[in-house]
Every structure is written in C-alpha cells, then in structure tokens.
Amino acid sequence: MALNKETIEQLAIHLESAEMNRQEVTKITVEHPEMDWDDAYAIQNVVRAIKEKRGVKIAGLKMGLTSFAKMEQMGVKDPVMGFITDYGQVEDGGTCSTDSLIHPKVEAEIAFVTKSVLRGPDCTVEDVLAATDYVLPAIEVIDSRYRNFEFDLKSVIADNTSSARFVIGKTPCKVDGLDLVKQPVVMSKNGEVVATATGEAVLGNPVQSVAMLANMLARSGQEIPAGTLILTGGATAAVAVDKGDHVVVECEGIGSVSMRFA
Ligand code: OOG
Ligand code: MG
C-alpha cells in the first residue's frame, strides 16, 4: 500500500460524498499518482463501510470492464469488481430518476444468482455453473463520479466501478441447456436498437466473469456467498441516457428487462 489510512479514508469520503451530492470530481490519481491496487480496493471498501454504517444494504456484486467493447470505450485493459446497493435497485419496468445522477449511461448485462459458495483461487467455469441458481437479464446504470467519465483503473475501482442503479428481470432462468456464449443481448433506447452483442463478448463467456470475480476476491481471502446476485459486466459499450428515455434489454430465451428515466 502506498497511501496511509487517513488518506484512504479521506478519499473514500470524498468519492462517497461526490455520489451523494451529485458532484463530479477529478480522478483521484491526479493528486495521488503513487496509489496502488490495494489502495484502490481499500478506498472502495471504506466507501462500502460508510454506506453500511448509514444503513445501506449490499444487494450484490458486479464485474466491470469485462468486454472488449467496454475496455475500448474506457481505454483500459483489465476487469474490475465492485458492489451494488439496495437503494440502487429499480424494479423491472420501473422509473429511475436522473435528478440524483451526474451523467448516467446504461449497459446490457447478464446477471447470475448463486446457490452455493464460490471460492477461488482456481475457480472454474464448471464450478460457477454448478453453483449457479439462475440467470437474469439486467440493465446496469453506471454514473462515474469523475468528470466526463475520465478515469484510469485505480480511480474507477476506488469509485466503486461507477456503480449507481440496476434493474434485473423478473423471471429466473436455469442455466441448464442455455448456451451463454451464443446468448444474444440486444439493447434498445426509445424503440431503436442501440447495441447488440452475444454472451461471448463478456470474457468469452459471462460464466467466466463470475469465476474471475471469485478468483479476484480470493486474493484478499474473500468468497462469493450463496445467494449472491452478480452483474457480469456490460456486453456492449455503454449508452448515455437522459430524462424521458426508455431502455429495454432483450436476451432471447432468457427474457427482457426495461426501465424508464425521468
Ligand atoms: C466502469 C464500470 C464498467 C461494466 O459493466 O463494464 C461496468 C465504467 O465504465 O464507468 O460496469
Ligand atoms: Mg456494468
């Protein structure tokens, strides 16, 4: 670790307040170029602790920057992990207020719910499939607290990977018989298709994203508990949204999910 405890806490308060006050800020590596990966995740953990102290419940975990489209859009090379919250959940077909967000973008994702614990290192696709209860189509609304979404990997990890809101489908779908590699993912905005992909876009297979999450958590002795909701990462580049927009993500054979912005 390159940063001391006080600096980590101060940066976590800075980023968490930026989210709560809808205040965009400069990426933190500008002032702290020496920060390392452990510092970045330590800041994210303090952000989580601040929220939990306020009564926020953690709704699940997320992987980000797992697709080539997203990595290219954001100019980075490695996936990241973060958490999603109870206040971030919007019901399927529901409305998300943009008044509390800075510059929201939507992502089409496949979500997993586990039925048994997943523990790395060496967690495999087979392990994940055996531990999966069901999958669901999802929309993640990301909202970087950094001006113009300008960040590097360490800054975005500290900012809880731009996590803001999410919607999951209503109907659980078992994975047996599904081909998640060829799974079509189609995102429409106001009735027009704005992005399409197949599951393969997400690390070759969205299942791989869950395995990677377990293996990343294992580095700090953590695991994915049974019953965890996991967003596996946008399959396409993210699309900016504004008041009045209606977004639908359709995953043929799994179902669809939608939300409106107001
Ligand atoms: C970081 C979060 C990316 C995803 O699904 O790739 C993410 C960002 O692009 O702001 O959630
Ligand atoms: Mg995402």
Side-chain angles (χ1 to χ4, degrees):
M1 310 258 298
L3 303 182
N4 62 33
K5 197 164 171 275
E6 288 71 42
T7 309
I8 285 169
E9 278 182 10
Q10 174 218 315
L11 288 169
I13 293 167
H14 173 64
L15 290 171
E16 214 273 334
S17 310
E19 179 195 342
M20 291 300 123
N21 302 327
R22 196 194 183 200
Q23 183 76 60
E24 55 185 18
V25 296
T26 304
K27 62 177 180 177
I28 58 175
T29 47
V30 171
E31 252 190 74
H32 300 278
E34 75 282 17
M35 70 182 273
D36 64 23
W37 303 105
D38 290 340
D39 294 321
Y41 279 110
I43 296 166
Q44 185 191 112
N45 286 337
V46 178
V47 168
R48 179 172 168 154
I50 293 169
K51 291 185 183 302
E52 287 182 309
K53 203 169 162 201
R54 207 191 286 133
V56 169
K57 296 275 177 283
I58 303 308
L61 301 174
K62 63 167 279 188
M63 286 292 280
L65 307 170
T66 47
S67 71
F68 190 63
K70 278 289 312 187
M71 290 186 214
E72 191 176 59
Q73 182 181 31
M74 305 321 295
V76 297
K77 291 196 191 69
D78 293 291
V80 291
M81 61 179 179
F83 63 88
I84 52 179
T85 61
D86 57 354
Y87 70 85
Q89 184 158 16
V90 177
E91 66 166 340
D92 184 14
T95 302
C96 174
S97 167
T98 54
D99 289 345
S100 52
L101 302 173
I102 302 166
H103 41 202
K105 291 185 188 178
V106 285
E107 300 181 319
E109 309 209 6
I110 294 174
F112 281 63
V113 175
T114 58
K115 61 183 174 192
S116 53
V117 70
L118 275 168
R119 201 176 287 123
D122 310 321
C123 178
T124 64
V125 161
E126 290 70 34
D127 296 333
V128 174
L129 288 174
T132 300
D133 196 357
Y134 52 86
V135 294
L136 298 161
I139 302 171
E140 186 183 22
V141 182
I142 52 168
D143 192 37
S144 176
R145 270 55 70 172
Y146 299 120
R147 201 165 289 114
N148 301 323
F149 271 85
E150 268 166 32
F151 54 65
D152 44 57
L153 275 179
K154 289 170 191 163
S155 295
V156 77
I157 289 165
D159 184 33
N160 190 24
T161 65
S162 310
S163 169
R165 304 285 182 266
F166 69 97
V167 187
I168 51 172
K170 286 193 191 82
T171 319
C173 183
K174 291 287 168 194
V175 273
D176 322 306
L178 278 186
D179 184 349
L180 286 170
V181 176
K182 296 212 177 80
Q183 176 62 49
V185 179
V186 178
M187 181 159 64
S188 313
K189 186 170 105 174
N190 305 327
E192 245 176 74
V193 172
V194 285
T196 60
T198 58
E200 188 175 13
V202 179
L203 294 172
N205 183 347
V207 181
Q208 192 68 55
S209 175
V210 181
M212 187 183 254
L213 175 63
N215 292 327
M216 284 166 79
L217 285 168
R219 289 184 214 147
S220 54
Q222 301 175 79
E223 58 190 27
I224 305 176
T228 303
L229 168 65
I230 301 153
L231 301 182
T232 56
T236 68
V239 175
V241 284
D242 217 330
K243 269 189 197 352
D245 285 340
H246 182 238
V247 177
V248 181
V249 165
E250 191 142 20
C251 298
E252 197 192 319
I254 299 185
S256 68
V257 58
S258 73
M259 70 191 302
R260 195 171 287 286
F261 290 85

